[in-house]
Amino acid sequence: MSETNSAAETAAPHRYTAAMAADIEARWQDFWDAEGTYEAPNPTGDLAGDPELAAKPKKFIMDMFPYPSGAGLHVGHPLGYIATDVYARHQRMTGHNVLHTLGFDAFGLPAEQYAVQTGTHPRTSTESNMENMKVQLRRLGLGHDNRRSFATIEAEYYKWTQWIFLQIFNSWYDTEADRARPVAELVEQFESGERPTPDGREWNALSAAERADVLGEYRLAYASDAPVNWSPGLGTVLANEEVTADGRSERGNFPVFKAKLRQWNMRITAYADRLLNDLDGLDWPEAIKLQQRNWIGRSEGARVEFPVDTAGGITVFTTRQDTLFGATYMVLAPEHEMVERIIPAAWPEGTHPVWTGGHPSPAEAVTAYRKQAAAKSDVERQAEAKDKTGVFTGAYATNPVSGEKVPVFIADYVLMGYGTGAIMAVPAHDARDFAFARAFELPMRCVVQPSDDRGTDPSTWDDAFSSYDATLVNSSNDEISLDGLGVVEAKARITEWLTRHGVGEGTVNFRLRDWLFSRQRYWGEPFPIVYDEEGIAHPLPESMLPLELPEVEDYSPRTFDPEDASAQPETPLSRNADWVNVTLDLGDGPKKYRRETNTMPNWAGSCWYELRYLDPNNDRQLVDPQIEQYWMGPREGQPTGGVDLYVGGAEHAVLHLLYARFWSKVLHDLGHISSAEPFHKLYNQGMIQAFVYRDSRGIAVPAAEVEERDGAFHHDGEKVSRVLGKMGKSLKNAVTPDEICAEYGADTLRLYEMAMGPLDVSRPWDTRAVVGQYRLLQRLWRNVIDEETGEVTVVDAEPGEDTLRALHKAIDGVGQDLAGMRFNTAIAKITELNNHLTKAGGPLPRSVAEPLVLLIAPLAPHVAEELWRRLGHGDSVVHQDFPVADPAYVVDETVTCVVQIKGKVRARLEISPSITDEELEALALADEAVVAALGGAGIRKVIVRAPKLVNIVPA
């Protein structure tokens, strides 16, 4: 191939080749950097610029934060980056001030794991990876405002991540005002007596520790002893969203267990309703909205109190309060705090032997069962196992409507993370309760009339009966009867009765749990929190921010046997005594404090990065309000504000996207930003896939070394299998953008990735097909430049009618496609126009050549810049106006209308596209071929679809 290319270059020294593309691309990338071509002016501040540009309509276009991987980019990674770049370039050319930049999400577990494996400090490896990625991304010609780029590991950035944490820590959710408010206002309410303390004492009568505990029940960021997802193999705890459906860690695929630890949490549940309701105003894919709605999981029901003689009562949440008369036992999650309070010293007289698990006392039974349950993941506990396990606590509660004593069990199929961690068991009408009741020989009562012929004696049933379309039976006491009522009416009536008697109330519950915000890792943002000698948490003042991550020699988290559920976390920062133990003056004189040694999760830095892009050098405030209002404030069609376009993968539906929405709402409530939502429009791009080839052992072999012979695939003489899958280094099928750029140029790579198919659909990579877009650029070049002399060949002549029509139809179609992110069809239309011009022959008129270059400029910016300059222009193509189609040439002069009789084509008419149905019917019926085909037969019906079709049905 190289010899052929060499000969071609000798014959045509000015042909567009990979070498020429490399030269053109490097020169223009240097030019753009030197001229600040992509710098978007703010309306005020240090990044204010051209007021004329700032006065234009704005567009804020974002990609999801890349993580600087040591493997660098493969051709699948830039798909979204190229797409947003094409869209941003088109928006600039249609009169917008476009903010488009890219930073790095550089804290987190991958860098730490790599550092542990290699002995390289995570900062060293991360910064090296970022530099490599910057080189790769620059080579793609992405039009980023590099003044606004940053990495989350920069202290100037995470100072404000810490500051936001403190805003959340110092806030509480006022349910009456339906917004967050400063904790200082809550303290004022306690001090004035407007809000009573939990035990009724005056606020000033409480100790400092007691006041801290009271406020901790309100704060939006709080520390608590709670069940957490503990992964011994990673040595850290995980948020619910980081645990897979198989009950394993999303990263590393390690087992995850329940453990009780003191951890930081974010009270995201306070925003559950708003997170649900505000989805309606967002321009997001419905599939992502549905995932968020399901994750938040709003359900209406009732809280019901079951009294326990010795310990107050057990509260349950149920969506089927109508079945309360059928509750014959209760189940608590093994971790439930009530368990210790209700356990008696001995088994009650007459306790069924099967309830005890063979243990001599309730305490021993509960201890043994809790140990057994702790070794299971939530997913394992929820699985529909044939054999239900559990143990009687020895305590009884009272069913508030029937007055019956019901035994209280603990069982692992009930989780603390759902509802209240306690259930009323209605075994006749719930499958899991039915299975448990059968296993432990517990009574069942039918309270919903079965719609089949099974009768009303559950002891004869094979399974539970559950239905919302049924009537209630066996559900009455001296004060209320639900018998004969439908479910909806019964729920309303029993809820009113519970409320009136003070034993329950209607309420809403959410599947969403508070966000676990602590990690036992080194490579993350330190918490701006210190503890005094009483263990009370104190926020650092803003003047002490950033609290920088110390340089340490031993940054490895302590990991354990992945199956060791009894292991306890040990944080790397806790081993740095000089950093942990400090003397500080927080306003009341120097005192000794202990720093928080957990770090924030990797999601923290990406919860607000869109705001830093707006005002990246601000060291006085999070973001200038005027700048934030300009770029992200609410406006027509965007009632909650936000980024105009956010492009990334669908895998972050309930992680990053949910967390970022929560932080935005808190900051909005506190008056720091005008936008209540971070991202108005979300677009999920598909994946670039690649074939994976595996030998007989199932091991991946290098895709580049596989040969296809006789319809089969071979590697080193051995037949190998082929399946379509992900692209990646471990699968030995990764293709780097560098090698494609070297062989064809970056513009060809950009065109190929955009031409492969619709952006939101996954598609297979085929290196052999790249050459098609390379040839498009070569033909385009030839239409403007003489390959032998390098001279521009365009002429000042008027184009023909056919060419004008081809040009303006392309302008109209390409413009609409670029605005709609249909890049593949835009390229097809440009190719069609270019082919038309090539076939027409002769030099191009300038009035055609220049629009042609402008059409392809968003997609292939380097070659467009070069041709624009050679056409005699001194200014960049980037800010030129996108061509506007002349409507007179967009509409065809004539279109072909098909006339059918009995479904067979009998004539084709060339008619005006604006013809009416009546005119077209008259023309068709008068046509000689149609008259002959009808042969004098009458006409029963004429169906006209102007201007393309007439269908005649003879009598």
Side-chain angles (χ1 to χ4, degrees):
M1 179 176 175
S2 59
E3 290 179 7
T4 306
N5 279 348
S6 178
E9 287 169 22
T10 302
H14 297 279
R15 174 171 293 177
Y16 183 83
T17 61
M20 179 181 284
D23 174 65
I24 289 171
E25 290 163 5
R27 278 193 290 105
W28 284 111
Q29 287 161 18
D30 289 343
F31 173 85
W32 293 330
D33 285 348
E35 296 295 315
T37 301
Y38 303 109
E39 293 178 0
N42 280 343
T44 187
D46 64 318
L47 298 187
D50 180 358
E52 203 173 305
L53 181 53
K56 292 183 175 183
K58 63 87 189 181
K59 281 287 180 183
F60 184 5
I61 298 164
M62 269 182 65
D63 301 277
M64 287 189 184
F65 242 175
Y67 193 88
S69 163
L73 299 177
H74 60 62
V75 292
H77 291 125
L79 178 67
Y81 306 151
I82 295 170
T84 53
D85 186 61
V86 173
Y87 183 77
R89 289 175 181 277
H90 179 249
Q91 291 297 307
R92 286 191 193 94
M93 297 177 76
T94 52
H96 294 85
N97 181 21
V98 176
L99 193 167
H100 188 214
T101 190
L102 195 69
F104 293 92
D105 190 13
F107 272 132
L109 190 57
E112 188 163 273
Q113 289 180 319
Y114 180 78
V116 171
Q117 293 165 7
T118 63
T120 308
H121 193 282
R123 181 176 299 281
T124 303
S125 59
T126 301
E127 289 178 346
S128 172
N129 295 344
M130 283 193 291
E131 289 308 310
N132 180 47
M133 281 184 68
K134 285 177 183 177
V135 171
Q136 289 185 297
L137 290 168
R138 185 180 188 271
R139 193 170 184 181
L140 297 173
L142 302 176
H144 293 151
D145 184 345
N146 291 322
R147 303 171 305 164
R148 299 173 184 266
S149 183
F150 56 82
T152 54
I153 60 174
E154 295 166 7
E156 297 83 3
Y157 179 79
Y158 69 73
K159 164 187 174 177
W160 295 104
T161 307
Q162 293 170 337
W163 182 88
I164 296 171
F165 173 83
L166 293 179
Q167 305 312 300
I168 299 173
F169 174 78
N170 285 321
S171 301
W172 64 292
Y173 200 85
D174 184 344
T175 53
E176 292 183 8
D178 202 21
R179 67 178 181 86
R181 294 173 60 186
V183 162
E185 296 178 15
L186 180 65
V187 172
E188 288 175 7
Q189 292 181 11
F190 282 126
E191 288 177 338
S192 68
E194 177 187 347
R195 182 182 294 268
T197 61
D199 63 5
R201 285 185 292 162
E202 290 188 5
W203 182 251
N204 291 333
L206 303 181
S207 69
E210 288 173 326
R211 290 197 294 270
D213 286 344
V214 170
L215 295 178
E217 294 299 315
Y218 289 86
R219 293 186 188 276
L220 289 178
Y222 64 95
S224 69
D225 292 314
V228 295
N229 301 305
W230 164 235
S231 174
L234 289 176
T236 188
V237 300
L238 303 170
N240 290 341
E241 295 84 353
E242 295 173 300
V243 181
T244 68
D246 298 324
R248 303 177 76 84
S249 62
E250 185 182 50
R251 183 165 293 279
N253 197 36
F254 290 109
V256 176
F257 305 99
K258 279 296 180 189
K260 202 164 188 177
L261 299 170
R262 190 161 187 82
Q263 300 289 306
W264 282 99
N265 299 272
M266 292 275 179
R267 207 179 300 275
I268 191 173
T269 49
Y271 283 82
D273 266 324
R274 284 170 62 185
L275 289 168
L276 269 177
N277 295 337
D278 286 355
L279 283 170
D280 293 339
L282 300 180
D283 185 3
W284 284 20
E286 281 304 318
I288 300 296
K289 288 185 179 183
L290 181 61
Q291 285 186 66
Q292 290 218 351
R293 290 189 180 107
N294 289 342
W295 190 261
I296 295 167
R298 187 182 193 275
S299 55
E300 294 186 11
R303 287 186 180 271
V304 185
E305 190 86 5
F306 282 69
V308 179
D309 292 341
T310 57
I314 298 172
T315 302
V316 303
F317 171 80
T318 176
T319 59
R320 289 300 303 270
Q321 60 267 41
D322 56 301
T323 65
L324 193 48
F325 282 93
T328 56
Y329 66 97
M330 297 188 75
V331 182
L332 303 182
E335 307 88 353
H336 200 290
E337 61 178 10
M338 284 291 291
V339 175
E340 284 89 352
R341 286 193 248 162
I342 64 175
I343 297 175
W347 295 116
E349 188 176 344
T351 296
H352 196 311
V354 77
W355 295 3
T356 69
H359 295 281
S361 71
E364 290 171 282
V366 166
T367 299
Y369 189 77
R370 278 179 154 177
K371 186 175 181 180
Q372 174 186 330
K376 293 183 181 180
S377 70
D378 280 4
V379 174
E380 290 172 313
R381 287 171 58 168
Q382 288 180 292
E384 295 293 334
K386 183 185 293 184
D387 300 321
K388 291 294 179 202
T389 65
V391 71
F392 180 39
T393 63
Y396 285 84
T398 302
N399 184 319
V401 293
S402 69
E404 295 178 354
K405 295 287 187 181
V406 296
V408 181
F409 284 76
I410 61 171
D412 59 15
Y413 77 91
V414 177
L415 304 176
M416 277 307 299
Y418 295 91
T420 64
I423 66 163
M424 62 175 212
V426 184
H429 307 294
D430 180 272
R432 293 191 303 170
D433 295 346
F434 185 93
F436 191 90
R438 278 284 164 87
F440 288 88
E441 300 178 22
L442 288 158
M444 303 188 218
R445 179 178 297 111
C446 172
V447 293
V448 179
Q449 180 68 49
S451 56
D452 50 27
D453 58 1
R454 67 174 67 196
T456 58
D457 180 4
S459 66
T460 66
W461 297 357
D462 294 327
D463 54 17
F465 172 79
S466 179
S467 173
Y468 273 87
D469 185 20
T471 57
L472 277 293
V473 296
N474 302 325
S475 298
S476 63
N477 60 27
D478 293 342
E479 298 182 13
I480 185 173
S481 174
L482 306 182
D483 293 343
L485 299 180
V487 171
V488 174
E489 189 180 352
K491 287 172 75 170
R493 186 172 295 185
I494 193 67
T495 301
E496 186 276 330
W497 187 91
L498 291 167
T499 304
R500 184 156 36 87
H501 285 73
V503 291
E505 62 179 349
T507 189
V508 173
N509 194 57
F510 294 92
R511 179 179 181 269
L512 180 69
R513 298 295 94 195
D514 281 345
W515 173 16
L516 181 69
F517 201 70
S518 297
R519 297 295 182 273
Q520 291 67 48
R521 298 199 294 257
Y522 166 69
W523 194 235
E525 298 91 340
F527 281 92
I529 294 288
V530 292
Y531 300 91
D532 63 22
E533 292 177 330
E534 292 184 66
I536 299 172
H538 296 267
L540 292 180
E542 187 177 333
S543 61
M544 291 187 181
L545 301 182
L547 172 60
E548 296 196 32
L549 188 65
E551 296 295 322
V552 298
E553 292 184 11
D554 183 9
Y555 40 78
S556 304
R558 186 179 176 198
T559 58
F560 303 87
D561 180 338
E563 304 291 343
D564 183 6
S566 64
Q568 292 287 307
E570 177 190 288
T571 59
L573 288 179
S574 66
R575 300 192 287 262
N576 189 345
D578 291 342
W579 184 82
V580 173
N581 301 302
V582 291
T583 298
L584 301 172
D585 185 351
L586 301 184
D588 53 356
K591 292 183 180 179
K592 291 183 178 179
Y593 295 95
R594 176 179 53 83
R595 295 195 191 280
E596 171 63 70
T597 60
N598 287 303
T599 53
M600 298 186 196
N602 59 303
W603 309 106
S606 59
C607 273
W608 71 281
Y609 71 121
E610 70 282 356
L611 298 173
R612 192 62 175 175
Y613 284 153
L614 308 182
D615 197 10
N617 304 318
N618 198 331
D619 60 359
R620 301 175 310 282
Q621 59 190 143
L622 179 72
V623 60
D624 183 297
Q626 189 178 343
I627 294 172
E628 188 272 337
Q629 174 71 47
Y630 173 84
W631 288 110
M632 289 185 63
R635 62 203 66 217
E636 187 177 353
Q638 298 183 16
T640 49
V643 173
D644 296 291
L645 176 66
Y646 193 37
V647 175
E651 64 272 16
H652 295 301
V654 294
L655 287 161
H656 158 62
L657 290 173
L658 196 61
Y659 298 155
R661 295 182 64 214
F662 166 53
W663 277 36
S664 282
K665 292 186 183 303
V666 177
L667 292 170
H668 172 75
D669 286 357
L670 298 177
H672 298 299
I673 58 176
S674 66
S675 48
E677 286 283 343
F679 314 115
H680 172 70
K681 180 177 176 66
L682 174 69
Y683 190 100
N684 295 133
Q685 88 270 17
M687 289 173 55
I688 288 184
Q689 300 169 302
F691 287 111
V692 183
Y693 299 89
R694 297 186 184 276
D695 61 20
S696 57
R697 301 166 298 167
I699 296 174
V701 300
E705 299 174 9
V706 173
E707 296 179 352
E708 183 177 359
R709 296 196 306 270
D710 303 323
F713 302 96
H714 301 267
H715 178 260
D716 281 348
E718 180 190 351
K719 193 173 181 180
V720 293
S721 65
R722 183 181 82 163
V723 294
L724 192 62
K726 285 185 175 182
M727 182 179 285
K729 188 175 179 181
S730 63
L731 297 173
K732 299 182 182 178
N733 62 354
V735 178
T736 69
D738 306 48
E739 54 193 283
I740 301 300
C741 289
E743 189 161 0
Y744 299 105
D747 280 339
T748 295
L749 173 63
R750 291 170 60 102
L751 282 170
Y752 176 65
E753 295 217 358
M754 294 300 94
M756 291 171 75
L759 182 60
D760 59 348
V761 176
S762 294
R763 73 293 302 271
W765 176 267
D766 182 0
T767 299
R768 293 169 299 181
V770 177
V771 71
Q773 301 307 316
Y774 182 54
R775 288 173 181 151
L776 165 62
L777 291 179
Q778 289 182 317
R779 288 192 294 269
L780 171 73
W781 183 267
R782 267 197 304 273
N783 276 330
V784 180
I785 303 294
D786 186 300
E787 291 184 334
E788 293 184 10
T789 66
E791 296 298 317
V792 173
T793 59
V794 301
V795 294
D796 292 322
E798 289 300 314
E801 183 83 6
D802 287 350
T803 294
L804 280 172
R805 290 197 176 280
L807 172 64
H808 286 277
K809 287 178 76 172
I811 291 171
D812 180 61
V814 172
Q816 291 186 50
D817 287 345
L818 293 179
M821 301 182 72
R822 298 182 296 272
F823 305 127
N824 59 319
T825 54
I827 292 169
K829 290 178 175 72
I830 292 171
T831 303
E832 185 180 352
L833 171 63
N834 198 51
N835 289 344
H836 169 88
L837 299 175
T838 302
K839 289 174 184 175
L844 287 189
R846 179 173 290 274
S847 59
V848 174
E850 291 190 349
L852 174 63
V853 171
L854 294 173
L855 283 182
I856 205 166
L859 293 148
H862 306 92
V863 72
E865 280 280 28
E866 184 72 13
L867 291 173
W868 190 250
R869 184 59 59 94
R870 293 197 184 202
L871 284 167
H873 298 280
D875 48 358
S876 170
V877 77
V878 170
H879 292 285
Q880 299 304 309
D881 290 337
F882 197 78
V884 177
D886 184 337
Y889 292 111
V890 172
V891 179
D892 288 331
E893 281 190 306
T894 62
V895 294
T896 301
C897 174
V898 172
V899 183
Q900 294 180 335
I901 300 174
K902 290 185 177 180
K904 291 186 177 181
V905 177
R906 297 299 186 181
R908 285 184 170 85
L909 311 176
E910 294 299 316
I911 47 92
S912 166
S914 59
I915 194 169
T916 66
D917 284 0
E918 293 76 14
E919 291 170 336
L920 182 55
E921 180 177 342
L923 274 176
L925 293 176
D927 185 83
E928 290 181 7
V930 171
V931 171
L934 285 170
I939 297 172
R940 183 157 61 90
K941 186 190 294 185
V942 178
I943 302 166
V944 181
R945 298 285 184 268
K948 294 293 185 70
L949 176 68
V950 176
N951 196 358
I952 301 170
V953 182

